[in-house]
Amino acid sequence: MYTKIDKYVAEEMHAGNIPGMSIVIIQNNKITYQKGYGYADISKKTPVTADTSFEIASCSKGFTGLAVLKLQEEGLLNIQDPLSKYFQGFYATYKGKKYDIKLSQLLHHTSGIPWSAITDIPVSNDDNAVIDLAEKEVGIKLTHKPGEQFEYATINYALLGAVIQKVSGQLYEDYMQKTVFDPLGLEHTTLYPEKAKDTLATGYKNGFFRPIVYQAPIFRANRAAGYIIMDSNDVGKWLMYQMGNLNTPLAPLIEETHKGDRTVAPSLFDQSSYAIGWAEYQSGTGEVSKSGLNPNYSSYMAFRGEDGLAVGILANNGTNYTFICGHGILDMLRGHKKTSPYETDRKIDNICSIVVICMVIYIIAMLIFSGRILVGIAKKERHYRKIGKKKGKWVAVCISFLPFAYGIYLLPYALQQVSWETAIVWYPFSFHAMLYAGIVSIVATIIAMILGVLFSKEDDVLDKVPLLAILSVVR
């Protein structure tokens, strides 16, 4: 079986451009397989081992949810409290009306905050970044009333991180270390990248059909939602705790984090109910799982208590192939056909890369065209011609093309309501290259058009090429 799994993992890593991956498998309530694949750093040929650390992305939410329940147990908060109790004056708005948001709604992603609010999270490494974020979000616009429906938004857990820091009187990172990581014996788990610098795998992001090294900005305000760092040794322990195979005073709270919110309809994506940092499936399979995606890392953790089965995967590329691989391994271990609700995200890079290549060829053609006219001017074969009414219309057509350039600039917001800054961080390198290439293509066309009109040559059909290019798009 493990030979087949090794082969499958290699195939998925190749398909997803994943440099390195670390996997831990639990069967019959025991860790039965643990292996590193590929490279933690391609250039240095550093192999992935069980001791290689990765950002676990949104799998961090299960830890944050556990910490909130611990604070409730200590009487320092109640998950039915409104967020305004901890951040005075906080409110959200829906259709112009003010609403309070409960901590429980943040935990279950039923706050009404849109997922696109991720664009509000600032680049910062300040100790109070998470507090500043909570104060900045006063008056945030909701997509529905709090408690009405499920909508995943990573900022929900960032706000919970702010509550933890405010209530505990400690930095979120330090509270998690003392209250969760240390008591569970997770010796290689941290929220401080500098503490993991000797073991942390280099992060990569797809671009032009390959993984490219990417150092993502620091979003300290979002650490509670997605920036815990750990190795597969600790992932194995964490999953064993989830299944009740290791004893801890936190066991009752851990079990509580697995209970899905059945007060709202399940996710349309995979019919799961969001619990507290985990997705619980309503089909009676007893499966609880979570996937995580950062710009340059990804993870997947799943367990089936009734089968004594669990899988944990860490990878150093921000791709959903990691989730697909996790689903596949779990299915293989159960003797089922490999399935996954995820569509492969490499298509985005492939399409964008091909478009960029075509645009570059087009830009070169326009530059050659413009160069041809400039050479003609230098040789005095072309002369300035006054713009008549007809030529004036051509220039007007040319100028009318400028809004299309602005439309390209607005593309990230139009597609997913995020800013360019967010798109550059999260999308493949080829995506923003495509946007830049699109703008350059338009500018190159306009320049060629203007030169062709102002310095036209009798009976030179090629002078009309830029105009035809513009008209073909405008029409």
Side-chain angles (χ1 to χ4, degrees):
M1 173 60 74
Y2 296 133
T3 300
K4 290 181 180 179
I5 288 175
D6 287 345
K7 181 181 178 183
Y8 173 65
V9 170
E11 290 171 352
E12 293 303 308
M13 287 178 66
H14 176 72
N17 290 328
I18 300 174
M21 187 176 277
S22 187
I23 292 178
V24 58
I25 294 173
I26 295 172
Q27 289 178 287
N28 299 317
N29 299 310
K30 294 179 181 179
I31 295 176
T32 57
Y33 197 64
Q34 193 171 5
K35 187 173 180 178
Y37 302 81
Y39 296 108
D41 188 296
I42 296 175
S43 62
K44 296 178 181 177
K45 302 296 182 185
T46 307
V48 172
T49 70
D51 301 319
T52 303
S53 300
F54 300 78
E55 290 178 4
I56 66 169
S58 284
C59 285
S60 302
K61 290 179 172 69
F63 289 89
T64 296
L66 177 61
V68 170
L69 294 184
K70 178 62 177 172
L71 286 168
Q72 178 174 252
E73 183 182 67
E74 294 171 351
L76 295 176
L77 61 75
N78 188 299
I79 64 172
Q80 298 308 319
D81 289 337
L83 186 56
S84 58
K85 179 177 179 179
Y86 306 98
F87 290 93
Q88 190 172 5
F90 184 92
Y91 67 91
T93 63
Y94 176 67
K95 293 185 176 180
K97 186 177 178 181
K98 293 183 179 181
Y99 287 89
D100 259 330
I101 294 176
K102 295 179 181 179
L103 302 188
S104 61
Q105 292 164 346
L106 295 174
L107 287 167
H108 295 300
H109 291 293
T110 57
S111 66
I113 296 175
W115 80 268
S116 58
I118 190 173
T119 199
D120 293 344
I121 299 171
V123 174
S124 173
N125 194 28
D126 188 82
D127 284 353
N128 286 318
V130 70
I131 300 295
D132 293 341
L133 174 66
E135 293 173 347
K136 171 188 171 185
E137 292 304 297
V138 173
I140 185 171
K141 292 182 179 180
L142 308 179
T143 54
H144 54 81
K145 292 180 183 178
E148 240 182 22
Q149 66 184 65
F150 168 80
E151 181 177 0
Y152 190 90
T154 198
I155 201 170
N156 285 322
Y157 274 72
L159 293 173
L160 289 168
V163 172
I164 291 171
Q165 185 155 314
K166 192 83 173 279
V167 170
S168 69
Q170 305 175 53
L171 292 177
Y172 165 77
E173 295 90 342
D174 295 340
Y175 179 80
M176 295 299 294
Q177 190 70 50
K178 295 173 184 175
T179 309
V180 180
F181 304 158
D182 288 347
L184 293 178
L186 303 178
E187 300 174 1
H188 309 289
T189 300
T190 182
L191 277 149
Y192 291 109
E194 56 271 22
K195 289 185 178 181
K197 63 180 180 180
D198 294 333
T199 60
L200 184 62
T202 299
Y204 294 80
K205 184 165 73 166
N206 282 335
F208 303 103
F209 315 108
R210 64 190 179 93
I212 299 173
V213 174
Y214 181 60
Q215 182 64 51
I218 296 174
F219 296 101
R220 189 162 178 179
N222 203 35
R223 281 186 176 172
Y227 288 89
I228 289 175
I229 298 169
M230 64 196 309
D231 62 17
S232 69
N233 294 311
D234 279 2
V235 170
K237 282 185 184 178
W238 177 239
L239 289 172
M240 290 286 278
Y241 280 120
Q242 304 308 311
M243 300 170 73
N245 296 326
L246 293 178
N247 295 322
T248 171
L250 293 173
L253 301 182
I254 289 175
E255 186 176 350
E256 187 70 19
T257 66
H258 305 159
K259 297 177 180 178
D261 180 9
R262 302 295 180 90
T263 65
V264 297
S267 166
L268 294 176
F269 174 66
D270 60 3
Q271 295 302 305
S272 66
S273 287
Y274 202 87
I276 297 179
W278 296 93
E280 184 235 0
Y281 290 84
Q282 295 190 19
S283 59
T285 62
E287 184 175 319
V288 177
S289 69
K290 187 71 185 79
S291 56
L293 184 70
N294 275 1
N296 49 354
Y297 295 93
S298 49
S299 63
Y300 177 80
M301 300 181 194
F303 60 93
R304 296 174 56 83
E306 63 185 38
D307 297 335
L309 186 63
V311 173
I313 303 181
L314 306 174
N316 58 344
N317 191 340
T319 171
N320 66 11
Y321 272 89
T322 303
F323 322 153
I324 294 170
C325 188
H327 279 275
I329 292 174
L330 202 58
D331 286 333
M332 291 173 73
L333 292 171
R334 297 176 62 211
H336 292 187
K337 181 181 178 181
K338 295 188 290 292
T339 59
S340 176
Y342 292 94
E343 289 286 338
T344 59
D345 56 11
R346 188 176 168 183
K347 292 178 182 177
I348 299 173
D349 176 52
N350 291 346
I351 293 171
C352 292
S353 297
I354 292 170
V355 172
V356 169
I357 292 170
C358 293
M359 285 183 172
V360 168
I361 293 171
Y362 176 78
I363 291 168
I364 292 172
M366 286 297 102
L367 291 176
I368 291 173
F369 180 89
S370 297
R372 172 176 165 274
I373 294 176
L374 291 173
V375 169
I377 295 171
K379 290 182 177 181
K380 297 184 178 180
E381 295 173 354
R382 290 175 178 266
H383 304 282
Y384 174 74
R385 294 173 179 266
K386 291 183 179 180
I387 302 176
K389 289 184 178 180
K390 188 175 180 180
K391 291 180 179 178
K393 290 180 180 178
W394 287 9
V395 174
V397 171
C398 177
I399 293 173
S400 72
F401 202 76
L402 290 175
F404 287 90
Y406 186 59
I408 290 177
Y409 176 77
L410 293 177
L411 189 58
Y413 183 82
L415 289 176
Q416 295 188 317
Q417 295 184 314
V418 298
S419 65
W420 255 69
E421 290 81 2
T422 302
I424 287 173
V425 170
W426 287 90
Y427 294 175
F429 283 104
S430 52
F431 179 81
H432 35 97
M434 180 183 70
L435 298 183
Y436 290 129
I439 292 173
V440 173
S441 296
I442 292 172
V443 172
T445 303
I446 290 173
I447 291 173
M449 166 68 186
I450 292 173
L451 287 173
V453 171
L454 296 181
F455 298 92
S456 61
K457 193 175 180 182
E458 292 294 337
D459 301 324
D460 194 333
V461 178
L462 290 178
D463 283 355
K464 296 181 175 59
V465 169
L467 177 62
L468 292 174
I470 290 177
L471 290 175
S472 67
V473 175
V474 172
R475 285 176 180 248

PDB file of all heavy atoms in Angstrom, residues 18 25 32 50 78 142 201 281 302-303 318 381 400 426:
ATOM      1  N   ILE A  18       5.010  20.957  -6.740  1.00  0.00           N
ATOM      2  CA  ILE A  18       5.335  21.018  -5.310  1.00  0.00           C
ATOM      3  C   ILE A  18       6.769  20.523  -5.097  1.00  0.00           C
ATOM      4  O   ILE A  18       7.076  19.360  -5.356  1.00  0.00           O
ATOM      5  CB  ILE A  18       4.363  20.150  -4.483  1.00  0.00           C
ATOM      6  CG1 ILE A  18       2.932  20.651  -4.664  1.00  0.00           C
ATOM      7  CG2 ILE A  18       4.753  20.167  -3.014  1.00  0.00           C
ATOM      8  CD1 ILE A  18       1.878  19.769  -4.012  1.00  0.00           C
ATOM      9  N   ILE A  25       0.853   9.326   8.479  1.00  0.00           N
ATOM     10  CA  ILE A  25      -0.370   8.514   8.388  1.00  0.00           C
ATOM     11  C   ILE A  25      -0.596   7.770   9.697  1.00  0.00           C
ATOM     12  O   ILE A  25       0.342   7.194  10.268  1.00  0.00           O
ATOM     13  CB  ILE A  25      -0.272   7.506   7.222  1.00  0.00           C
ATOM     14  CG1 ILE A  25      -0.236   8.243   5.879  1.00  0.00           C
ATOM     15  CG2 ILE A  25      -1.443   6.521   7.251  1.00  0.00           C
ATOM     16  CD1 ILE A  25       0.026   7.337   4.692  1.00  0.00           C
ATOM     17  N   THR A  32       1.717   4.924  11.602  1.00  0.00           N
ATOM     18  CA  THR A  32       2.261   3.776  10.895  1.00  0.00           C
ATOM     19  C   THR A  32       3.177   4.152   9.727  1.00  0.00           C
ATOM     20  O   THR A  32       3.909   3.310   9.215  1.00  0.00           O
ATOM     21  CB  THR A  32       1.112   2.902  10.339  1.00  0.00           C
ATOM     22  OG1 THR A  32       0.274   3.707   9.490  1.00  0.00           O
ATOM     23  CG2 THR A  32       0.276   2.317  11.471  1.00  0.00           C
ATOM     24  N   ALA A  50      11.113  14.371   8.420  1.00  0.00           N
ATOM     25  CA  ALA A  50      10.054  14.533   9.425  1.00  0.00           C
ATOM     26  C   ALA A  50      10.300  15.763  10.285  1.00  0.00           C
ATOM     27  O   ALA A  50       9.385  16.266  10.945  1.00  0.00           O
ATOM     28  CB  ALA A  50       9.965  13.287  10.297  1.00  0.00           C
ATOM     29  N   ASN A  78     -16.876  34.387  27.120  1.00  0.00           N
ATOM     30  CA  ASN A  78     -17.950  33.464  26.760  1.00  0.00           C
ATOM     31  C   ASN A  78     -18.140  33.585  25.255  1.00  0.00           C
ATOM     32  O   ASN A  78     -18.205  34.709  24.737  1.00  0.00           O
ATOM     33  CB  ASN A  78     -19.245  33.824  27.500  1.00  0.00           C
ATOM     34  CG  ASN A  78     -20.331  32.784  27.296  1.00  0.00           C
ATOM     35  OD1 ASN A  78     -20.776  32.528  26.169  1.00  0.00           O
ATOM     36  ND2 ASN A  78     -20.774  32.178  28.385  1.00  0.00           N
ATOM     37  N   LEU A 142     -21.191  43.702   5.951  1.00  0.00           N
ATOM     38  CA  LEU A 142     -21.454  42.267   5.897  1.00  0.00           C
ATOM     39  C   LEU A 142     -22.203  41.899   4.622  1.00  0.00           C
ATOM     40  O   LEU A 142     -22.864  42.733   4.008  1.00  0.00           O
ATOM     41  CB  LEU A 142     -22.281  41.841   7.117  1.00  0.00           C
ATOM     42  CG  LEU A 142     -21.757  42.268   8.497  1.00  0.00           C
ATOM     43  CD1 LEU A 142     -22.709  41.788   9.589  1.00  0.00           C
ATOM     44  CD2 LEU A 142     -20.350  41.726   8.728  1.00  0.00           C
ATOM     45  N   ALA A 201      11.122  24.998   5.728  1.00  0.00           N
ATOM     46  CA  ALA A 201      11.296  24.807   4.290  1.00  0.00           C
ATOM     47  C   ALA A 201      11.136  26.140   3.571  1.00  0.00           C
ATOM     48  O   ALA A 201      10.386  27.007   3.995  1.00  0.00           O
ATOM     49  CB  ALA A 201      10.268  23.799   3.765  1.00  0.00           C
ATOM     50  N   TYR A 281     -18.224  16.594   8.577  1.00  0.00           N
ATOM     51  CA  TYR A 281     -19.099  16.159   7.485  1.00  0.00           C
ATOM     52  C   TYR A 281     -20.379  15.556   8.020  1.00  0.00           C
ATOM     53  O   TYR A 281     -20.372  14.758   8.958  1.00  0.00           O
ATOM     54  CB  TYR A 281     -18.350  15.183   6.570  1.00  0.00           C
ATOM     55  CG  TYR A 281     -17.283  15.888   5.788  1.00  0.00           C
ATOM     56  CD1 TYR A 281     -16.031  16.118   6.354  1.00  0.00           C
ATOM     57  CD2 TYR A 281     -17.536  16.406   4.524  1.00  0.00           C
ATOM     58  CE1 TYR A 281     -15.051  16.825   5.671  1.00  0.00           C
ATOM     59  CE2 TYR A 281     -16.569  17.116   3.830  1.00  0.00           C
ATOM     60  CZ  TYR A 281     -15.327  17.323   4.416  1.00  0.00           C
ATOM     61  OH  TYR A 281     -14.375  18.038   3.738  1.00  0.00           O
ATOM     62  N   ALA A 302      -6.753  15.442   8.219  1.00  0.00           N
ATOM     63  CA  ALA A 302      -8.060  14.793   8.290  1.00  0.00           C
ATOM     64  C   ALA A 302      -7.985  13.578   9.192  1.00  0.00           C
ATOM     65  O   ALA A 302      -6.945  12.910   9.261  1.00  0.00           O
ATOM     66  CB  ALA A 302      -8.529  14.376   6.893  1.00  0.00           C
ATOM     67  N   PHE A 303      -9.076  13.294   9.888  1.00  0.00           N
ATOM     68  CA  PHE A 303      -9.104  12.089  10.715  1.00  0.00           C
ATOM     69  C   PHE A 303     -10.515  11.512  10.744  1.00  0.00           C
ATOM     70  O   PHE A 303     -11.501  12.223  10.610  1.00  0.00           O
ATOM     71  CB  PHE A 303      -8.594  12.367  12.137  1.00  0.00           C
ATOM     72  CG  PHE A 303      -9.380  13.401  12.898  1.00  0.00           C
ATOM     73  CD1 PHE A 303     -10.442  13.043  13.734  1.00  0.00           C
ATOM     74  CD2 PHE A 303      -9.053  14.747  12.793  1.00  0.00           C
ATOM     75  CE1 PHE A 303     -11.157  13.998  14.432  1.00  0.00           C
ATOM     76  CE2 PHE A 303      -9.770  15.717  13.487  1.00  0.00           C
ATOM     77  CZ  PHE A 303     -10.823  15.346  14.312  1.00  0.00           C
ATOM     78  N   GLY A 318       2.073  27.003  -2.360  1.00  0.00           N
ATOM     79  CA  GLY A 318       0.690  27.381  -2.095  1.00  0.00           C
ATOM     80  C   GLY A 318      -0.244  26.873  -3.175  1.00  0.00           C
ATOM     81  O   GLY A 318      -0.671  27.641  -4.034  1.00  0.00           O
ATOM     82  N   GLU A 381      11.866  59.282 -44.932  1.00  0.00           N
ATOM     83  CA  GLU A 381      10.927  58.632 -45.842  1.00  0.00           C
ATOM     84  C   GLU A 381       9.490  58.869 -45.372  1.00  0.00           C
ATOM     85  O   GLU A 381       8.544  58.620 -46.106  1.00  0.00           O
ATOM     86  CB  GLU A 381      11.205  57.129 -45.899  1.00  0.00           C
ATOM     87  CG  GLU A 381      12.580  56.798 -46.502  1.00  0.00           C
ATOM     88  CD  GLU A 381      12.887  55.309 -46.389  1.00  0.00           C
ATOM     89  OE1 GLU A 381      12.083  54.582 -45.754  1.00  0.00           O
ATOM     90  OE2 GLU A 381      13.915  54.878 -46.939  1.00  0.00           O
ATOM     91  N   SER A 400     -10.088  56.102 -26.897  1.00  0.00           N
ATOM     92  CA  SER A 400     -11.211  55.381 -26.291  1.00  0.00           C
ATOM     93  C   SER A 400     -10.794  54.013 -25.758  1.00  0.00           C
ATOM     94  O   SER A 400     -11.527  53.393 -24.990  1.00  0.00           O
ATOM     95  CB  SER A 400     -12.345  55.214 -27.316  1.00  0.00           C
ATOM     96  OG  SER A 400     -11.999  54.254 -28.311  1.00  0.00           O
ATOM     97  N   TRP A 426      -1.238  36.537  -3.503  1.00  0.00           N
ATOM     98  CA  TRP A 426      -1.896  35.234  -3.495  1.00  0.00           C
ATOM     99  C   TRP A 426      -1.960  34.523  -4.841  1.00  0.00           C
ATOM    100  O   TRP A 426      -2.018  33.293  -4.886  1.00  0.00           O
ATOM    101  CB  TRP A 426      -3.311  35.374  -2.933  1.00  0.00           C
ATOM    102  CG  TRP A 426      -3.312  35.598  -1.459  1.00  0.00           C
ATOM    103  CD1 TRP A 426      -3.263  36.794  -0.800  1.00  0.00           C
ATOM    104  CD2 TRP A 426      -3.328  34.590  -0.439  1.00  0.00           C
ATOM    105  NE1 TRP A 426      -3.258  36.595   0.558  1.00  0.00           N
ATOM    106  CE2 TRP A 426      -3.295  35.249   0.815  1.00  0.00           C
ATOM    107  CE3 TRP A 426      -3.374  33.194  -0.457  1.00  0.00           C
ATOM    108  CZ2 TRP A 426      -3.306  34.566   2.024  1.00  0.00           C
ATOM    109  CZ3 TRP A 426      -3.394  32.516   0.751  1.00  0.00           C
ATOM    110  CH2 TRP A 426      -3.352  33.199   1.969  1.00  0.00           C
TER     111      TRP A 426
END
